[in-house]
Amino acid sequence: MDLTALIKKGEKQYVALCPEIDVVSQGYTIEDALKNLKEAVDLYIEEFGVPEEIKIT
């Protein structure tokens, strides 16, 4: 399953967003923000499952 990661530079950290499931995380580097977002998305999916709108390929 492919999901989108949008990363934006904040004042002190990078903010990462997965718009398909509306999950946000952050980190001091782009790599950390992306790693933290992946973890947050995994936890979201574990807790709530994959939203019906998202195709699993």
Side-chain angles (χ1 to χ4, degrees):
M1 165 176 47
D2 290 327
L3 298 172
T4 307
L6 303 174
I7 301 175
K8 181 178 178 180
K9 176 76 168 131
E11 286 186 34
K12 295 184 179 182
Q13 296 188 43
Y14 289 90
V15 178
L17 164 69
C18 177
E20 289 90 352
I21 57 175
D22 201 28
V23 171
V24 178
S25 192
Q26 61 188 16
Y28 286 105
T29 65
I30 292 172
E31 293 79 14
D32 284 343
L34 186 56
K35 179 181 72 101
N36 293 339
L37 180 63
K38 286 179 182 179
E39 184 177 310
V41 166
D42 287 343
L43 290 171
Y44 177 93
I45 290 173
E46 183 179 309
E47 181 70 24
F48 300 107
V50 178
E52 291 181 16
E53 308 85 54
I54 297 175
K55 284 186 180 179
I56 299 178
T57 57

